[in-house]
Amino acid sequence: MTATAAAPPLMSVRRSVLVLGVLEAFGPLSMDLYLPRLPQLAASLHTSDALAQLTMSVCMVGLGVGQLVAGPLSDRFGRRRPLLIGVALFTVFSLACVLAPTVEALLVARLLQGLAGSAGLVITMAVARDLYSGADLSRMLSLLTLVSASAPIVAPVAGGALALVVDWRGVFLVLTGVGGALFLLALFGLRETLPAAARHGGGMRVLGAHARSLARDPVFVLVVLAAAAGGTAFFAYLSMSSFVLQDGFGLSPQLFALCFAGNALANLLGAQLSRVLVRRAGPARLYVAGQLASAAAAALLLAAVLLGWGLAGVVAALPLWLFASGLGGPNGTTLALGGHAARAGTAAAVLGTVTFTVGPVVAPLAALGGASALSMAQTIAFASLAAALLALLAARHRRVRRDCTFSA
C-alpha cells in the first residue's frame, strides 16, 4: 500500500491495521458478546422478546447517531482526542449496563453505550482515509476487516462459553473490561493522522458546507442508500437469528454461537477475497459483484424457508449471504469516501449513521408478529435486493471510474 500524499507516515501498515481494526470492533463487541444470552436476559428482567431485542436496537442507533457528532469533531479537533473520550465513556456506560435494575434502565445505558462507542467506528474510517485512497483504501479496509471481523467470530463463541458460568450481567462486566483495554490501546497505540493545517475551524457553516458537498455527490448518496438497505438486512439477521436458531430450530446457546461465528468467518473471507482482487477488478466492479451475489444468496435463504428445507437450508444460505456482503462492503466505503478527503470524518459519519440507524428502526417492524425464520428471510431478501439495485445505479454513474479517483 502507498499512503496518500497528504497523510504523514505516522504509522506502519501493520500497526495501523492492528490498532484500527481492534478499535473498529465496537459494534460487534457491543452486540455479539451477549447475543447468546438475549433470551435469558428477557426472562431475567421479566420482559418480552421484543424489548430484549430493543436493547440491541437502541445500542445500534446510538452507534449510528453518535457518529454524526464524533465524525465532524474529528475533522475539527483531530482524530485522537474525540476517540479517547468516546472509548472512556463506552467503558463507563458498559458498567452501567451491569448495574441496570430494569429493562428501561438497561435501554438507557445501552443507548449511551452506543453513542460513546460510535467514536471508535467513525474515527477509524476517517484515519484510514487520511492515510490511503482508491484501491489502496479498499485494501486497507479489507485488512481492517481481517482484524475487526475476528470480534463477531470470537465474541459469540466467548459469549456462549460465558453463558455456562455467568448471566447476562456478567457478560456486560466482561465488556466493561474490554472497553478499558481498548482505551489503553487507543491511548498508547494511535497517533494523530490529521495535521493541524488540515483541520477546519468548526461551526455550523463549515458543517453545512460539508453536508452540501456530500449531497451533491450522487455516488455518495447512492452508496449511502445502499448501505441503509444492507444495514436493514444485517440487523434483521443480527436481532432475529438467536430466536430463529435457538427457539425455532432448538440449537443450544453454544451451537448457536458456533453457527454465528462461522457466518462471521464467511464475511471475513469475502472481505479478504476483495483485498486480493481489488487492484485487478477495481472497487466499483467488486462492489456491484458483491451486492448482486448478496441478493442472490438472500433469495436462496428465502427459498429455503418457503420450501421447508429446515435448519440445513438456513444454515447453508446464511454464510453465502455474509460472504457476498464481505466482498462488496469495503468497496462501497471506498466509493463513498473516495472524493471527500477534506471531510473524511463527516463523510464517514453520514455513511455510518445511516448504516447503523435505518436497520434498527426498520428490521424490528418485520418481527412484530414474532422473530420467525420467514420474517428474517423476507427482510434480508428484500433489503439485499434493494441494495443491489442501488449499487448498480451507483456503478453506472459517470463519476464512478475504475480507479475510484474523485476530485476532492
Side-chain angles (χ1 to χ4, degrees):
M1 292 184 184
T2 56
T4 59
L10 294 177
M11 294 187 294
S12 69
V13 172
R14 183 177 300 176
R15 179 182 176 186
S16 62
V17 166
L18 177 61
V19 175
L20 297 178
V22 172
L23 290 173
E24 196 187 7
F26 272 105
L29 286 173
S30 300
M31 301 295 173
D32 303 342
L33 193 63
Y34 89 115
L35 196 57
R37 271 304 191 185
L38 200 57
Q40 188 264 346
L41 181 151
S44 172
L45 293 178
H46 308 290
T47 189
S48 64
D49 290 350
L51 279 178
Q53 291 181 68
L54 191 59
T55 64
M56 298 183 64
S57 296
V58 296
C59 181
M60 206 163 192
V61 168
L63 286 168
V65 173
Q67 295 184 50
L68 288 177
V69 177
L73 284 178
S74 76
D75 284 340
R76 180 178 182 182
F77 297 108
R79 313 304 186 197
R80 184 175 160 82
R81 272 191 292 171
L83 177 63
L84 290 174
I85 293 172
V87 178
L89 290 175
F90 174 87
T91 306
V92 172
F93 294 130
S94 295
L95 183 59
C97 292
V98 178
L99 304 175
T102 65
V103 68
E104 291 80 10
L106 180 62
L107 287 170
V108 173
R110 287 286 284 166
L111 176 62
L112 294 173
Q113 184 189 44
L115 289 170
S118 66
L121 294 172
V122 66
I123 293 176
T124 55
M125 293 297 97
V127 169
R129 183 60 186 88
D130 289 342
L131 298 172
Y132 303 100
S133 64
D136 287 333
L137 176 59
S138 181
R139 285 170 57 82
M140 178 62 170
L141 295 175
S142 296
L143 284 172
L144 291 183
T145 302
L146 183 62
V147 179
S148 63
S150 298
I153 296 173
V154 174
V157 176
L162 287 171
L164 296 174
V165 293
V166 299
D167 62 3
W168 63 270
R169 294 184 189 275
V171 174
F172 278 114
L173 186 60
V174 172
L175 194 58
T176 302
V178 170
L182 290 176
F183 176 80
L184 293 176
L185 178 65
L187 181 63
F188 296 108
L190 184 67
R191 300 183 188 179
E192 183 58 64
T193 60
L194 186 66
R199 302 172 194 175
H200 65 70
M204 295 303 297
R205 176 178 294 182
V206 174
L207 185 59
H210 285 184
R212 288 191 294 272
S213 296
L214 295 174
R216 286 195 296 266
D217 181 357
V219 174
F220 179 84
V221 172
L222 288 168
V223 172
V224 166
L225 292 175
T232 299
F234 183 76
F235 192 79
Y237 160 71
L238 188 65
S239 63
M240 297 188 207
S241 59
S242 61
F243 294 97
V244 170
L245 295 180
Q246 291 185 74
D247 296 343
F249 290 108
L251 293 186
S252 67
Q254 290 71 39
L255 284 177
F256 164 74
L258 289 175
C259 287
F260 195 90
N263 293 338
L265 179 61
N267 186 259
L268 184 153
L269 292 175
Q272 298 320 299
L273 180 61
S274 170
R275 181 174 63 88
V276 172
L277 298 178
V278 67
R279 281 183 174 167
R280 177 176 298 179
R285 186 177 299 174
L286 279 183
Y287 176 55
V288 172
Q291 295 288 6
L292 291 176
S294 179
L300 179 64
L301 172 64
L302 181 58
V305 173
L306 292 174
L307 298 177
W309 295 350
L311 176 64
V314 172
V315 170
L318 282 173
L320 294 176
W321 170 66
L322 285 161
F323 176 86
S325 298
L327 180 66
N331 299 292
T333 303
T334 298
L335 296 181
L337 301 185
H340 303 288
R343 46 193 166 268
T346 304
V350 173
L351 180 63
T353 297
V354 170
T355 302
F356 276 84
T357 56
V358 174
V361 172
V362 175
L365 298 177
L368 288 178
S372 66
L374 180 59
S375 61
M376 181 181 75
Q378 285 178 331
T379 307
I380 291 174
F382 292 135
S384 297
L385 177 60
L389 294 175
L390 289 164
L392 282 171
L393 289 174
R396 289 174 179 173
H397 194 275
R398 63 182 177 80
R399 293 189 65 189
V400 180
R401 302 182 180 92
R402 181 178 176 84
D403 61 358
C404 299
T405 56
F406 300 84
S407 61

